[in-house]
Structures are given as structure tokens and as C-alpha cells.
Amino acid sequence: AGTSKNIAIHATSGDANLGLLLHQSNSADPATQMQARPSAVATALAAGIGEVECLTYTATTSDWFGLVVENAGSTTVTDFMVYADSSAPTGSLAINAGAAQTGASRVFLDVTADDAQTGIRRVRVRNVPGTFGAFQALTAPIIWDLAPGAGTRTVEVEIENNACLTALVSDTISVYACPQPAGPLANGSFSVATGLPWCFTDQSTNGLVQYTGGQALVTGGNDGVSGFTYTYISQAVVVP
């Protein structure tokens, strides 16, 4: 009693329009042990053919409950799974592997998620403030576009388990403005970590080094991460 329970039904094959009805009876009252459909204390009936139905109920007393699976119409045999859970999933989010700053608005989201009871169903992402995008399967990593401009950016991921319970995880990263006017960073050094980092745009696909006037201009395309958009790197380096 007093614990909220989520119950969900997933059709795994077939075309049935499945629904859930939860009934409660009093073990001391035989009249409650047979009930009509409208007597259900919680229902999940509106999702439609092939969709997941979820209900939530918090019992105020410890007593008998009966779960009814309803088929509102089908032409083929339908298989399904029923999940019940009372605890939300757990997880974490790291933007660009936990980097403190970036010069690119496109980033990698490393999301970890776990649910020992029912497993992870899906996730969705948003910039904060902002609205969530569509749910998607959890992949690693997720490529994401931050809100435009420089400054601190926060991304939030909602994780959903197979019982429709959710958890929110978030991370922040600082987006720095590229030097103005746009161009290579003068007198930089690849061996020194201080100073302005590189700036990125979506232009080049090949890397090269050009030597002129005592400096080397280094441009590069592939960031070395499979599947990521090619980026342009420009850095002037003093050559002894």
C-alpha cells in the first residue's frame, strides 16, 4: 500500500488493439470478487493498434488486484509482454565525453541507462530551455545540435523504461565564440593546451599543411570519429 506501480503492455506481434484494466477486490467481501468493466480502478485503453499502453496506480490498502488484458479487435494472433515496475531507470549524460568547452554547436551525447527490472525502452533529448524531440532508441553516441551562439549550454535526456517510468539526466558545456574576424589562430602551438582552442565549421573533408612565411597553416577534415560530420580546423603555428 502507498507505493505507485506502473504497468505496461507491449504487443510483440499481430495487430490487436490491446488495453489494460486493473481491478481491486476486498478479500472479506465476496461481492467484490466479480466486477463489471467500469469498476476498474485504473485503465489504459487509448493508445491504439500496435502501441504501448501504460497505467499507473497507487493502492491505499493491501488487498487483491486483478489485471485484465483487453483485445479490442484483431485479425491475427497477437503476442505481448506485460511489464510492472515501481522504480525509475537510472543513467547519466556526458557531452563530448565530459569536456568543459567546445567551439562547435554539434556535439556527441554519451548516454548511459539501466533498469534491472524492465529494461530501457527509449530516450528523447532537448536543449534547456526547450521542448523534447521525438523519442528514439538509445544509441551511442547521439549526435546533437546545441542551441546557437556562445555561452553555457545545457542538454537534458529523458530515459524511459518498458513500464513507462522515466528519469532525467543532464550535462552542461561552454561554447566559445570563434575569434573575429574569422580565420586561423596566429602563433599557436599544438603542444600547448592554453590559449584559444580551434574553431570548427562544416567545410573541409581533407587535411593538409601549408608552409609560408615562417608559419605552417594546418587544416584538417575528419575528426577521427566514425560517422561524425567532417569539420574544418585552422591553426597557424610558428615554425622554428
Side-chain angles (χ1 to χ4, degrees), residues 68-96:
V68 177
V69 175
E70 177 183 86
N71 178 6
S74 64
T75 61
T76 62
V77 174
T78 296
D79 298 315
F80 60 86
M81 294 285 293
V82 175
Y83 297 89
D85 202 349
S86 57
S87 59
T90 59
S92 65
L93 167 63
I95 304 174
N96 282 358

Side-chain angles (χ1 to χ4, degrees), residues 12-198:
T12 57
S13 67
D15 62 353
N17 185 359
L18 299 176
L20 293 174
L21 300 97
L22 184 66
H23 291 261
Q24 181 180 13
S25 66
N26 183 343
S27 58
D29 183 1
T32 66
Q33 295 171 17
M34 182 174 293
Q35 299 179 11
R37 187 175 185 272
S39 299
V41 294
T43 63
L45 303 168
I49 296 174
E51 299 298 323
V52 174
E53 294 279 8
C54 306
L55 65 80
T56 302
Y57 185 70
T58 303
T60 57
T61 60
S62 298
D63 219 322
W64 294 97
F65 287 87
L67 181 67
V68 177
V69 175
E70 177 183 86
N71 178 6
S74 64
T75 61
T76 62
V77 174
T78 296
D79 298 315
F80 60 86
M81 294 285 293
V82 175
Y83 297 89
D85 202 349
S86 57
S87 59
T90 59
S92 65
L93 167 63
I95 304 174
N96 282 358
Q101 61 178 357
T102 180
S105 60
R106 179 162 293 180
V107 294
F108 289 113
L109 306 181
D110 293 311
V111 182
T112 64
D114 182 65
D115 190 283
Q117 286 72 41
T118 62
I120 300 301
R121 181 187 177 198
R122 57 188 186 174
V123 300
R124 59 180 180 173
V125 187
R126 70 172 178 178
N127 291 313
V128 180
T131 58
F132 279 108
F135 275 106
Q136 60 183 287
L138 176 59
T139 58
I142 297 172
I143 297 175
W144 183 252
D145 289 323
L146 301 172
T152 300
R153 296 289 178 265
T154 300
V155 177
E156 193 169 63
V157 176
E158 183 178 48
I159 303 167
E160 182 181 274
N161 69 11
N162 281 306
C164 303
L165 288 163
T166 61
L168 293 176
V169 293
S170 64
D171 193 20
T172 60
I173 194 167
S174 177
V175 181
Y176 55 79
C178 290
Q180 298 297 326
L185 307 179
N187 301 324
S189 171
F190 291 108
S191 63
V192 178
T194 59
L196 289 172
W198 292 329

